Amino acid sequence: MPESWERPAVPSLPGTGTAPRLHDTATGARLCSAPDDIIARLYVCGITPYDATHIGHANTYLAFDTLQRVWVDAGLEVHYAQNITDVDDPLLERAAATGVSWRDLADQQIELFRHDMTALRILPPQDYVAVTEVIDEIAQAVAVLLDRGLAYRVPTSDADADDVYFDISAAAETSPWRIGEESNLDREQMLLLSAERGGDPNRPGKRDPLDALLWRAAREGEPSWPSVLGAGRPGWHIECSVIALKHLGHDFSVQGGGADLVFPHHDLSAGHAAALSGHPLAKVYSHAGLIAYQGEKMSKSLGNLVLVSELLRECVPAAGIRLALLAHHYREEWEWTRAGLDEALARLDAWRGIRSNQHGAVALDVLDQVRQRLADDLDTPGAIAAVDRAVETGVDDPALIRALVDALLGIEL
Ligand code: ZN
């Protein structure tokens, strides 16, 4: 397993916080994120290593970092797993376009991501799993789905090699899942998004255009691995189902990711996992909003990425980047601006200058307010406002404010 990255120290605070209620994408309700036992289990989809780490990635991992910090403050243990999609079409296309080997590109981008996560003081996963490490297990899971009649073969131009697809109708009849359950989209919207986000609704030979690729038979010039299914490589969604089930089991606390993963990736990952285990994948499906830049969604193809590594190279303090992101609720869709970053840097300076004032705010009350705001669907703007008020008046115990800002917002003052 690749190493994740260095875990920042998290100071403990007086008293105990509360596990947050989280907005659940599937039901639209705020659900309690507390596990039945002491261990909160979290799966967040990792990067496809070709455009790491833009500010949108940082926002997603920061959202689930905040969740972990609030869980820890509530006295819970956290078991966190994350994948790396280190073989997939976008990575291969990027490698071909730049004349770099896909493996070198992936390794270099994984290293960059790890560096950025360390700088941003994001709590690391205990299980950090590259897809290329678990190809056998994924192929075996696909074979199980074939055996159960929940998957089928689609011939390729090579008579000896079939692709394998997930049969969404068969799966809906036999497992606690139906397509669109997590995303709540109608069929037309799903068809559109499937075409936009790596699916192939028009592939001839499929039973339903929304059936998702589980296994891609080897093609000339593409990496492939031998397996029980013959040579090939996994589809995108099944990798997360298999890694999550292996490390966290089913019905885990929270499946998380950016809002652009809701469909098809998360919907189908949950579907594959339900077809394999007979249980829902997770209890809460949580998604971070997408960040725009210069009026458009941030994306490699539009060339409008704001990279964490570039900001760090300009000597922007990582704590300032964190504070600029935390000033927005994690589900909000917003636009990154230099003015927003400058505001965060000014706030960081003000917080670092917090005054001791025995007639000012009571630090324990501030802690209570911050805990309340974070327990309410991780309201970081509300938590920041509570600290701002204490900084304005001065506070009886500045050390406690520094500790709570470090423990709950991940910012060292
Ligand atoms: Zn995933």
Side-chain angles (χ1 to χ4, degrees), residues 229-241:
L229 302 164
R233 61 181 164 97
W236 179 25
H237 321 307
I238 186 71
E239 65 181 67
C240 285
S241 321

Side-chain angles (χ1 to χ4, degrees), residues 103-122:
R103 187 67 263 172
D104 288 350
L105 175 62
D107 288 344
Q108 173 238 322
Q109 289 283 307
I110 292 165
E111 195 47 45
L112 181 61
F113 178 68
R114 204 183 263 141
H115 177 265
D116 292 340
M117 291 296 103
T118 308
L120 289 171
R121 304 181 84 229
I122 304 283

Side-chain angles (χ1 to χ4, degrees), residues 145-163:
L145 294 174
L146 275 169
D147 278 352
R148 292 184 187 165
L150 303 178
Y152 58 94
R153 295 173 182 278
V154 175
T156 68
S157 55
D158 179 346
D160 297 329
D162 294 334
D163 295 336

Side-chain angles (χ1 to χ4, degrees), residues 145-152 165-168 170-171 174 214 275-276:
L145 294 174
L146 275 169
D147 278 352
R148 292 184 187 165
L150 303 178
Y152 58 94
Y165 279 83
F166 187 59
D167 188 327
I168 56 170
T174 57
L214 290 168
L276 286 165

Side-chain angles (χ1 to χ4, degrees), residues 260-279:
D260 52 348
L261 295 185
V262 175
F263 193 88
H265 184 55
H266 279 183
D267 220 318
L268 270 302
S269 299
H272 300 339
L276 286 165
S277 71
H279 295 268

Side-chain angles (χ1 to χ4, degrees), residues 83-95:
N83 69 307
I84 309 167
T85 304
D86 64 343
V87 62
D88 199 13
D89 295 342
L91 168 67
L92 300 179
E93 283 158 19
R94 183 78 196 156

Side-chain angles (χ1 to χ4, degrees), residues 21-226:
R21 295 175 80 78
L22 277 187
H23 176 88
D24 172 45
T25 304
T27 58
R30 283 198 182 176
L31 303 181
C32 179
S33 68
D36 298 332
D37 56 13
I38 187 83
I39 302 175
R41 292 172 295 156
L42 171 68
Y43 186 90
V44 179
C45 287
I47 53 164
T48 300
Y50 72 105
D51 63 351
T53 311
H54 62 67
I55 216 75
H57 291 138
N59 187 53
T60 294
Y61 299 111
L62 181 54
F64 298 102
D65 174 83
T66 307
L67 173 60
Q68 290 188 74
R69 289 172 183 276
V70 178
W71 272 341
V72 169
D73 184 52
L76 296 167
E77 287 172 33
V78 180
H79 186 170
Y80 176 22
Q82 184 179 132
N83 69 307
I84 309 167
T85 304
D86 64 343
V87 62
D88 199 13
D89 295 342
L91 168 67
L92 300 179
E93 283 158 19
R94 183 78 196 156
T98 49
V100 185
S101 95
W102 66 272
R103 187 67 263 172
D104 288 350
L105 175 62
D107 288 344
Q108 173 238 322
Q109 289 283 307
I110 292 165
E111 195 47 45
L112 181 61
F113 178 68
R114 204 183 263 141
H115 177 265
D116 292 340
M117 291 296 103
T118 308
L120 289 171
R121 304 181 84 229
I122 304 283
L123 295 172
Q126 285 79 34
D127 298 304
Y128 190 44
V129 185
V131 173
T132 51
E133 295 176 286
V134 288
I135 287 194
D136 253 353
E137 284 151 275
I138 296 171
Q140 280 161 24
V142 174
V144 167
L145 294 174
L146 275 169
D147 278 352
R148 292 184 187 165
L150 303 178
Y152 58 94
R153 295 173 182 278
V154 175
T156 68
S157 55
D158 179 346
D160 297 329
D162 294 334
D163 295 336
V164 181
Y165 279 83
F166 187 59
D167 188 327
I168 56 170
S169 303
E173 279 166 26
T174 57
S175 72
W177 174 85
R178 56 170 179 76
I179 187 99
E181 186 169 275
E182 186 169 330
S183 61
N184 293 303
L185 298 170
D186 63 33
R187 193 172 164 85
E188 207 168 309
Q189 293 168 310
M190 288 193 278
L191 283 166
L192 232 120
L193 283 177
S194 167
E196 263 175 40
R197 296 176 180 166
D200 53 1
N202 300 319
R203 165 83 189 264
K206 284 168 61 167
R207 293 176 186 166
D208 185 308
L210 291 173
D211 287 347
L213 179 74
L214 290 168
W215 184 259
R216 179 172 165 87
R219 305 288 204 280
E220 185 73 35
E222 289 183 16
S224 64
W225 288 259

